[in-house]
Amino acid sequence: MTIDFNRRELMMGLAALGVALPGSRALAADGDGLKFGPAEPFSFDALVEKAKALAAAPYVPEASRAPAVLDRIDFDQHWRIKYKKDETLQLNDGKAPIRFFHLGRYFQLPVGIHVVDGGTSRTLAYDPALFEIPADSPAKELPNDIGFAGFRVLEPGREEDWLAFLGAAYFRTSGEDNQFGMSARALAIDVAMPTPEEFPRFTDFYLEPSSDGRLVITCALNSPRVAGVLRMDVAKGGPIVMNIQARYFARDEIQRFGIAALTSMFWYSETDRGRRVDWRPEVHDSDGLALWTGTGERIWRPLNNPLNVMTSSFSDEAPRGFGLLQRDRNFENYEDDGVFYEKRASVWVEPVGSWGRGAVQLVEIPTDDEIHDNIAAYWVPEAPVRKGDAIAVDYRLFWSNREPYPGDVGKVAATRLGRGGIPGQPRPAGVTKVVVDFDGGLVAALGRDAKDVKAVVSASRGTVGQTEAYSVKVGTAWRSTFDLKVDGTDPVELRCYLTQGDTVLTETWAYQFLPLTPAQQAAL
């Protein structure tokens, strides 16, 4: 898997542009510098039929109109291009102020911007006069109709944005705590496959007021092997919730068709202290993958920064949800007062209706810095995608600082690894001590002297010993510890949960242990 954007260069705040449609009841604007095409009929169903017809025709590759000029608009040059504040689109009676991004090195293909009023839409025309462009900027050399790169949505009366669409089929929000972090994207095609990954892109956006949220964004999508449409009804009030209808049409066979794809960053956490090269205790946008299976099991898979690309599949039928979460919300565990990792949003995917049989796939890619998104998670249907297939899926995305449906079982609070054996005695070679803390729910309700609490531990290979479960003397957490003896360097799938009699007290901790070779250990 390759990510074609540097995440720091993707996360830019630009000044913006606004628009007014004469006579539109849905819109108001601070200025009148924008021009629109004629009104055209608009409906979601009509766009779906258009995507179906597009997929039935050969793919026509897109090319940048001015690649040499746009390539000179790097991050610094892009930052200098300021959007005129008095041209902000005030959608939905000012509940969703919208401004637009300029093209540049990392976003060279323009997108169509259309504003919907009732059953019609009008296309917004690009005009360089809408931007404050420095006299020495390469942008001065671009055609006057080059187009927009994307858009962002601001809080009413403020300069902070909370939602942005920029690049390929990516989008992101700042969540409850107003701190951008991980991203979502419409599709992930052939991630971590021997063949190159395919990146569908949003070609057009249709913006309209929402009857029960902030706005509705309908996105037309196209790529060599798929065309489609997504309708997103976005609400903001605490968690940011997106109700999504996605309709896809395959031009050709797709081996790995990743639906509701999430993209994040994980460098290191408390689990892998030996690999830490930075002064901060932890650096990550997400610390684990959470799953709520069709059978009702809760699973927590702590993330890894592996030495090689790893793909893990969690087979399921009619999943109830999954997400990449940032559970650790303590500033002291990051000590970063610039980017505030403890405020990064968790993103939860809730299927609407049954998704049938398939698997949640987790892809982990090695990284040696925090500037790269190296984690992906998505749903892959069991049935292969063939040429001519139509795929319809509905789901909700929750951007929040907590899980929307936590249940009553205890949650994994920390995963730690260290030398096995008993302190004060000779440490056995090749043995790792594994420590898992659980807290909340049924675990937090336990008395400190509760009886018959046991840890159920299993390993796909190797030997497990010295298993214990006991109350942590500070707070309400319970801890499971065990030793793992394993030979070789093949991954080991570990599982652990706590019980009391016939009652399951916790979610299932499902960890992929990656043994190191002696040479790798020496390099750390």
Side-chain angles (χ1 to χ4, degrees), residues 303-322:
L303 295 178
N304 278 321
N305 178 7
L307 296 176
N308 302 291
V309 177
M310 302 297 294
T311 300
S312 303
S313 294
F314 301 85
S315 297
D316 201 0
E317 182 173 3
R320 301 186 188 187
F322 68 93

Side-chain angles (χ1 to χ4, degrees), residues 258 350 394 457:
E350 179 190 5
D394 297 340
V457 180

Side-chain angles (χ1 to χ4, degrees), residues 346-466:
S346 297
V347 183
W348 181 262
V349 180
E350 179 190 5
V352 175
S354 175
W355 280 9
R357 296 183 61 84
V360 174
Q361 286 193 339
L362 172 68
V363 178
E364 298 161 302
I365 303 169
T367 187
D368 60 359
D369 207 339
E370 65 196 286
I371 64 172
H372 305 294
D373 283 337
N374 65 316
I375 303 294
Y378 46 82
W379 172 260
V380 178
E382 181 180 67
V385 173
R386 305 299 187 192
K387 181 178 180 179
D389 281 355
I391 301 99
V393 289
D394 297 340
Y395 59 98
R396 296 186 185 91
L397 288 183
F398 294 82
W399 303 72
S400 176
N401 56 20
R402 64 185 66 85
E403 297 173 57
Y405 308 108
D408 60 356
V409 293
K411 306 298 184 184
V412 175
T415 302
R416 299 180 177 89
L417 306 177
R419 291 190 303 170
I422 300 173
Q425 298 184 16
R427 299 300 181 108
V431 176
T432 299
K433 179 74 71 178
V434 181
V435 180
V436 184
D437 287 352
F438 298 92
D439 205 350
L442 297 175
V443 170
L446 288 174
R448 197 174 299 281
D449 299 321
K451 305 298 183 182
D452 299 324
V453 177
K454 297 180 180 180
V456 180
V457 180
S458 63
S460 61
R461 67 185 191 87
T463 303
V464 172
Q466 302 290 335

